[in-house]
């Protein structure tokens, strides 16, 4: 597959990867803040380093903890 | 709705004053403990609504973790949305239960691309070489 588009969305800087398949269709995946990107192409690694700041990582961890608490309460 | 084909699998259109994007493609189910040995998963996105469906066969020698991942777009972070999405299985060969629910969640290593297969309130792990046919519909912010 060939990298087609990188998008950064939301407060927690999810990185949306769109790739082109051999047949010309799209393939999608999402890299959430803090994911291991060591196996990704350099362009994706650079984007992750740029947008996943310590501030974003902290905010994401806080949000996850809040969601976990909410689910356990339901 | 009127639309324009903008490229492989994508269109854009307008309903009233709201501009909608449309895209379709494939995605890959992930599992931190046992990557499925085969799968075929597709998605269609219209505006903020994402519909996924597919089938997979679990790992040949390892039991899966309960949390699955790989959804093609992150589920919404808007807490006021309540449930972000859900779905079900049309068929599975994992246990004596023939159908599971699917719960789109925000948790753990899969972030906002995670989902559970649920039997009642129990999250299901998959044994080896089991099949599932499933669908999921959820809301994204992107």
């Amino acid at each position: 597959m060939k990298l087609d588009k990188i998008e950064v969305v939301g407060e927690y800087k999810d990185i949306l990867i769109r790739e082109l398949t051999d047949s010309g269709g799209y393939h999608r995946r999402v890299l959430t803040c803090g994911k291991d990107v060591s196996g990704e192409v350099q362009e994706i690694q650079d984007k992750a380093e740029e947008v996943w700041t310590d501030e974003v990582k902290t905010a994401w961890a806080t949000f996850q903890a809040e969601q976990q608490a909410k689910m356990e309460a339901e | 709705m009127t639309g324009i084909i903008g490229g492989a699998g994508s269109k854009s259109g307008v309903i009233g004053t709201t501009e909608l994007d449309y895209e379709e493609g494939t995605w890959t189910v992930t599992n931190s403990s046992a990557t499925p040995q085969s799968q075929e998963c597709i998605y269609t996105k219209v505006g903020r609504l994402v519909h996924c469906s597919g089938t997979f066969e679990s790992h040949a020698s390892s039991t899966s973790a309960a949390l699955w991942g790989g959804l093609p777009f992150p589920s919404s972070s808007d807490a006021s949305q309540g449930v972000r999405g859900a779905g079900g299985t049309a068929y599975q060969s994992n246990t004596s239960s023939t159908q599971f629910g699917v719960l789109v969640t925000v948790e753990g290593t899969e972030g906002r691309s995670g989902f559970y297969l649920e039997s009642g309130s129990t999250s299901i792990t998959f044994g080896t070489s089991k099949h599932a046919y499933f669908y999921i519909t959820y809301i994204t912010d992107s």
Side-chain angles (χ1 to χ4, degrees):
Chain A
M1 279 188 281
K2 179 183 175 185
L3 181 61
D4 178 54
K5 185 162 71 171
I6 300 175
E7 302 167 276
V8 179
V9 299
E11 180 181 356
Y12 309 111
K13 308 301 181 188
D14 290 301
I15 300 176
L16 277 58
I17 309 295
R18 189 171 77 181
E19 296 161 310
L20 280 175
T21 66
D22 293 341
S23 60
Y26 291 143
H27 182 272
R28 283 274 191 179
R29 56 196 176 97
V30 179
L31 300 175
T32 299
C33 179
K35 272 256 183 178
D36 178 11
V37 294
S38 59
E40 302 289 351
V41 299
Q42 193 61 48
E43 189 175 353
I44 294 175
Q45 292 186 37
D46 291 346
K47 182 59 71 176
E49 186 174 348
E50 174 192 339
V51 301
W52 292 347
T53 63
D54 289 344
E55 186 179 37
V56 170
K57 289 177 182 174
T58 300
W60 170 239
T62 301
F63 176 73
Q64 280 188 295
E66 290 172 353
Q67 294 297 305
Q68 181 70 37
K70 185 178 178 183
M71 281 190 67
E72 289 173 355
E74 288 175 348
Chain B
M1 174 176 175
T2 58
I4 300 169
I5 297 175
S10 72
K11 302 172 184 176
S12 63
V14 176
I15 294 177
T17 58
T18 303
E19 185 175 356
L20 299 176
D21 66 308
Y22 176 96
E23 185 178 305
E24 56 190 49
T26 59
W27 61 289
T28 302
V29 172
T30 61
N31 188 282
S32 60
S33 296
T35 299
Q37 57 182 309
S38 66
Q39 59 179 290
E40 189 171 339
C41 302
I42 61 174
Y43 69 84
T44 299
K45 179 177 183 290
V46 181
R48 294 180 61 200
L49 187 66
V50 183
H51 182 76
C52 301
S53 60
T55 179
F56 67 82
E57 180 179 6
S58 61
H59 196 277
S61 58
S62 299
T63 299
S64 71
L67 179 63
W68 301 82
L71 292 176
F73 297 88
S75 60
S76 174
S77 63
D78 186 351
S80 66
Q81 296 281 345
V83 175
R84 291 173 174 79
T89 55
Y91 170 77
Q92 59 80 31
S93 61
N94 184 46
T95 69
S96 57
S97 174
T98 56
Q99 291 185 322
F100 295 145
V102 178
L103 179 67
V104 177
T105 186
V106 177
E107 192 173 321
T109 55
E110 301 301 340
R112 289 193 285 155
S113 296
F115 62 95
Y116 286 105
L117 302 178
E118 301 268 333
S119 178
S121 60
T122 303
S123 299
I124 300 299
T125 57
F126 266 55
T128 57
S129 299
K130 304 300 183 185
H131 296 262
Y133 295 81
F134 66 95
Y135 62 93
I136 306 171
T137 299
Y138 67 101
I139 298 295
T140 183
D141 294 332
S142 61

